């Protein structure tokens, strides 16, 4: 199996610095993944997963929902996410490393919403998978190069990566492919890259790509893309 996937997102309009509000805070200062723990949200956006769905997301990727102790161990080495997610046993919370007015009530530690009695509530998920490869995440930087895990080596089988790209209102996203080589089959069912222009699975679908032909540039109509 062959595979390299490599492309960059450029801002259509780079005016103004990105201001984090209570969105997911991912930047280079804090880790997006630590001690095997990582954050996941539904492809349809923030706070859309029931407990059963959150559990399924982690298990689909070969892990399970993180325990409070695993989340705290990750937090201690810099894992900071401003979005509440399901943990094991139906607990909900999020890890805060740096106190801020916008998130975590100005405190550091795990912001703990406790064990939820209503498992139909919708939150994000905190997964634990010590063997998982760095893959996917939420990106808000003005320019970013995405690589398949292990690039320039071949990617591994049975991996699913979701990259969410969000920019400010009024900005657009340009995807520019630098290198692309994904196992080819007639319907792109084995390995593929899918691009979405919004979080809508149907109307936001831009295309599915495989093979080794470099896709044309893709420019979003709005301020987010999902890959
Ligand atoms: C549980 O949460 C869901 C989603 O927030 C809500 O629709 C439902 O009414 C809640 N059920 C109970 C018993 O509170
Ligand atoms: C993206 O645009 C929508 C409106 O289309 C807006 O509500 C949202 O705040 C924008 N996101 C950011 C991060 O500016």
């Amino acid at each position: 199996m062959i595979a390299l996937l490599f492309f960059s997102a450029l801002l259509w309009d780079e005016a103004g610095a990105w201001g984090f509000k209570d969105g997911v805070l991912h930047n280079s200062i804090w880790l997006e993944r630590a001690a095997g723990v990582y954050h996941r949200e539904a492809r349809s956006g923030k706070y859309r997963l029931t407990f059963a769905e959150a559990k399924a997301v982690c298990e689909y990727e070969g892990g399970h929902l993180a325990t409070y102790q695993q989340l705290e161990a990750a937090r201690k080495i810099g894992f900071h996410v401003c979005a509440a997610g399901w943990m094991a046993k139906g607990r909900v919370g999020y890890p805060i490393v740096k106190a801020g007015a916008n998130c975590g009530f100005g405190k550091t530690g795990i912001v703990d919403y406790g064990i939820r009695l209503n498992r139909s509530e919708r939150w994000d998920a905190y997964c634990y998978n010590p063997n998982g490869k760095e893959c996917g995440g939420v990106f808000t930087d003005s320019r970013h190069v995405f690589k398949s895990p292990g690039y320039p080596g071949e990617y591994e089988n049975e991996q699913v990566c979701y990259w969410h790209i969000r920019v400010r209102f009024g900005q657009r996203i340009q995807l520019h492919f630098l290198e692309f080589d994904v196992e080819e089959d007639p319907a792109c069912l084995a390995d593929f890259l899918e691009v979405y222009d919004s979080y809508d699975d149907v109307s936001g679908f831009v295309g599915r790509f495989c093979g080794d032909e470099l896709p044309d540039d893709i420019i979003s109509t709005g301020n987010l893309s999902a890959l």
Side-chain angles (χ1 to χ4, degrees):
M1 142 115 103
I2 36 166
L4 300 174
L5 159 64
F6 193 70
F7 50 93
S8 74
L10 304 174
L11 281 196
W12 191 244
D13 153 22
E14 296 199 45
W18 167 259
F20 290 95
K21 277 269 160 67
D22 65 348
V24 182
L25 178 59
H26 281 268
N27 68 19
S28 54
I29 302 171
W30 297 299
L31 299 175
E32 290 168 11
R33 176 191 180 99
V37 175
Y38 57 94
H39 166 256
R40 275 282 175 274
E41 62 176 31
R43 197 164 65 192
S44 55
K46 192 176 180 183
Y47 295 166
R48 302 281 164 84
L49 299 169
T50 63
F51 178 63
E53 288 164 351
K55 196 164 175 281
V57 164
C58 299
E59 286 170 3
Y60 185 62
E61 296 174 352
H64 53 75
L65 284 169
T67 62
Y68 181 93
Q69 289 75 15
Q70 285 163 345
L71 191 63
E72 172 60 7
R75 193 197 67 80
K76 283 200 174 122
I77 58 172
F79 186 63
H80 174 107
V81 184
C82 190
W86 288 105
M87 291 177 257
K89 299 193 176 131
R91 199 161 186 165
V92 169
Y94 55 97
I96 295 300
V97 174
K98 186 174 189 308
N102 291 328
C103 192
F105 311 101
K107 288 187 235 149
T108 61
I110 305 285
V111 177
D112 189 4
Y113 293 179
I115 303 215
R116 312 306 296 173
L117 295 175
N118 183 350
R119 304 281 168 107
S120 304
E121 289 175 358
R122 291 178 186 273
W123 305 99
D124 291 350
Y126 285 102
C127 303
Y128 176 73
N129 182 0
N131 306 314
K133 290 279 179 335
E134 188 96 32
C135 161
V138 178
F139 298 88
T140 54
D141 11 354
S142 62
R143 200 185 171 105
H144 194 95
V145 178
F146 297 90
K147 303 172 190 174
S148 52
Y151 179 89
E154 295 185 355
Y155 59 75
E156 290 174 31
N157 286 319
E158 319 262 334
Q159 280 200 98
V160 186
C161 305
Y162 297 107
W163 288 283
H164 294 243
I165 307 166
R166 293 179 191 154
V167 295
R168 283 153 52 106
F169 178 68
Q171 294 183 326
R172 290 196 275 164
I173 298 157
Q174 178 178 15
L175 295 179
H176 175 67
F177 295 83
L178 300 173
E179 202 172 331
F180 191 75
D181 190 348
V182 173
E183 184 180 356
E184 182 150 28
D185 74 83
C188 278
L189 288 175
D191 291 352
F192 53 82
L193 168 74
E194 276 186 347
V195 178
Y196 291 84
D197 192 34
S198 69
Y199 286 148
D200 186 315
D201 276 13
V202 180
S203 70
F205 182 70
V206 175
R208 178 184 283 194
F209 306 94
C210 64
D212 58 8
E213 210 173 295
L214 216 52
D216 289 339
D217 282 15
I218 297 168
I219 295 170
S220 68
T221 53
N223 62 353
L224 56 88
S225 280
L227 310 169

